[in-house]
Amino acid sequence: MRHINLLQERLEKIQQEFSQLFNSIKDKTVLITGANGFIGSLLTFSLVKDVKVFCLVRNIKSMQEQFLRLGGEIKKIHIVENLGMVTESVDIVIHCASPTQSSFFLEKPIDTVDIIYKNLKDILEFSIQHRVEKFIFLSTMEVYGNLEGENIDENKIGNFNILELRNSYPLSKQLSEFLVNAYSQKYSLKTSILRLTQIIGPGVKIDDKRVYMEFVRSSLKESKIVLATKGDTKRNYIDIFDVITAILFCIFDGKKSEIYNIANPDIYISIYDLAKSIASVLNSSIHFNFNQDTSKYLKTFKRSLKVKKIQELGWKPLFDINSSINDMINFVKEETKI
């Protein structure tokens, strides 16, 4: 149970640091879509004590299993499989649901666009009908496309090669951002769009397809990490619990419509350096195999996000890269007993 205690200790840390935020959302009713995902489930875990949470998921049993593995109590959440099952007034909607696997974007680009757009439109219509106080949409740093450099701010947007099928995901997110803003302007819906960088930290499942979990799995099972590229891509990372506090700050930003970069400015590292950090903790070695299929990966880039806008709300990250990696690995080891 030490991995469960780890999550509780982290929750207590953010609650103490940002007590005013947690007091502000107390007694609200929140609808979280994709509540059984990495972000959605830990967001639910963090809010459920003082907030009525509706969890919109495709499979109730899957949500129950996910919440239990985090140490949550099923009786404290309200799990629904469609919006028609939400019969009460909702104050805040946090739209986390989205395909997340690169292989899915590549193999099923039409489904990727369809799912992202239709689900968003449905939840926006629900928000208008229920007159929600705030709508939060989780977007991605991938909307910056071919942009590279340091301190990329929210006023910039990237270009894409429309002939590359993997771009189904970032292009869908760009369209989604437009749709959120259009609804905000037409219906006076208060919205915040969060462009998230890569998220790391405890709570990720051992079989997750994120590249850093491939490093962890390989290290635990074979004592080695095999890179399919030189690992030159360099980006920000951010801890999952810092994402949770950023979402809360955006809920109460007092603005009609805004876009925020969400990243830890102090964590700007390459994939190779991330692999080295994980290998160091798990005493594994690093190898290269350039004969692997890399079509599902993003092309090499170097990009850091400017986070001045979210910082001006009072947000700050509390977890550094070492804390994120160590806690993530300890959680996995305790949960799987590897």
Side-chain angles (χ1 to χ4, degrees):
M1 293 294 289
R2 279 185 292 179
H3 60 300
I4 303 301
N5 293 336
L6 173 64
L7 296 181
Q8 190 60 44
E9 289 168 5
R10 280 169 149 258
L11 175 58
E12 290 172 2
K13 181 175 181 176
I14 63 173
Q15 287 175 331
Q16 290 172 6
E17 183 67 32
F18 302 114
S19 58
Q20 185 174 348
L21 277 178
F22 283 91
N23 287 332
S24 296
I25 202 169
K26 195 173 183 179
D27 299 326
K28 296 284 188 181
T29 299
V30 178
L31 170 64
I32 300 174
T33 72
N36 58 340
F38 181 34
I39 302 174
S41 60
L42 280 165
L43 182 60
T44 301
F45 172 82
S46 300
L47 295 180
V48 73
K49 180 181 177 182
D50 297 311
V51 176
K52 187 167 189 176
V53 181
F54 281 93
C55 302
L56 178 60
V57 296
R58 287 178 295 174
N59 186 288
I60 290 177
K61 183 179 180 182
S62 175
M63 179 66 210
Q64 291 173 335
E65 292 173 349
Q66 171 67 356
F67 201 55
L68 285 172
R69 69 177 282 270
L70 300 178
E73 295 181 50
I74 299 299
K75 64 181 180 181
K76 290 187 176 181
I77 58 176
H78 306 268
I79 308 174
V80 297
E81 289 183 322
N82 60 73
L83 291 170
M85 296 173 67
V86 182
T87 57
E88 300 181 30
S89 176
V90 172
D91 301 306
I92 299 160
V93 171
I94 306 172
H95 187 42
C96 304
S98 176
T100 58
Q101 304 299 334
S102 291
S103 56
F104 185 85
F105 310 151
L106 191 62
E107 296 165 10
K108 298 185 177 182
I110 297 173
D111 290 340
T112 298
V113 176
D114 209 33
I115 291 169
I116 291 174
Y117 177 79
K118 286 186 175 180
N119 286 352
L120 174 60
K121 195 168 190 309
D122 287 345
I123 197 68
L124 282 167
E125 287 290 337
F126 172 91
S127 299
I128 297 302
Q129 293 167 9
H130 287 72
R131 299 181 180 179
V132 302
E133 298 173 9
K134 189 75 175 188
F135 182 90
I136 302 292
F137 174 65
L138 301 192
S139 188
T140 171
M141 70 173 289
E142 286 196 34
V143 299
Y144 290 118
N146 60 350
L147 291 178
E148 294 199 52
E150 297 187 358
N151 291 318
I152 302 295
D153 65 40
E154 293 89 345
N155 293 322
K156 297 182 174 65
I157 203 74
N159 296 319
F160 295 91
N161 181 351
I162 62 170
L163 299 180
E164 293 182 6
L165 295 181
R166 197 207 170 280
N167 287 335
S168 58
Y169 176 69
L171 285 169
S172 297
K173 287 292 189 174
Q174 279 192 349
L175 173 61
S176 296
E177 289 191 9
F178 171 81
L179 192 62
V180 170
N181 185 60
Y183 267 79
S184 177
Q185 292 195 33
K186 182 174 181 179
Y187 298 105
S188 297
L189 175 66
K190 292 182 179 178
T191 65
S192 289
I193 295 168
L194 283 63
R195 292 176 179 164
L196 301 169
T197 191
Q198 182 77 272
I199 303 169
I200 195 168
V204 189
K205 292 181 178 179
I206 184 67
D207 59 353
D208 191 276
K209 302 302 182 183
R210 291 173 177 86
V211 66
Y212 58 78
M213 284 308 295
E214 292 181 13
F215 297 161
V216 172
R217 279 195 304 275
S218 183
S219 294
L220 289 172
K221 295 178 180 179
E222 302 175 24
S223 297
K224 67 179 181 180
I225 293 172
V226 180
L227 293 176
T229 69
K230 293 180 181 179
D232 289 335
T233 286
K234 190 174 183 180
R235 74 181 94 188
N236 298 108
Y237 290 82
I238 187 171
D239 191 275
I240 178 61
F241 280 83
D242 287 327
V243 171
I244 290 166
T245 57
I247 290 172
L248 294 180
F249 270 99
C250 292
I251 289 173
F252 299 107
D253 65 356
K255 299 180 181 181
K256 178 183 176 183
S257 179
E258 192 57 90
I259 300 174
Y260 298 95
N261 284 335
I262 307 298
N264 187 331
D266 297 323
I267 307 177
Y268 181 49
I269 60 174
S270 69
I271 290 177
Y272 177 69
D273 286 333
L274 180 63
K276 282 202 305 182
S277 296
I278 292 172
S280 176
V281 174
L282 292 172
N283 297 314
S284 57
S285 56
I286 295 179
H287 305 266
F288 295 90
N289 180 1
F290 298 140
N291 295 320
Q292 299 181 63
D293 179 15
T294 59
S295 61
K296 68 178 181 179
Y297 300 138
L298 290 170
K299 292 182 178 179
T300 298
F301 65 89
K302 295 181 180 180
R303 181 193 309 132
S304 70
L305 302 183
K306 187 174 183 178
V307 293
K308 181 180 178 181
K309 197 183 289 186
I310 183 69
Q311 288 176 325
E312 287 176 342
L313 298 180
W315 176 84
K316 62 181 179 181
L318 301 182
F319 302 92
D320 61 20
I321 187 62
N322 292 326
S323 173
S324 297
I325 289 175
N326 286 320
D327 287 353
M328 176 179 67
I329 290 172
N330 288 333
F331 185 95
V332 168
K333 291 173 71 174
E334 284 292 326
E335 183 179 32
T336 60
K337 303 303 179 185
I338 296 177

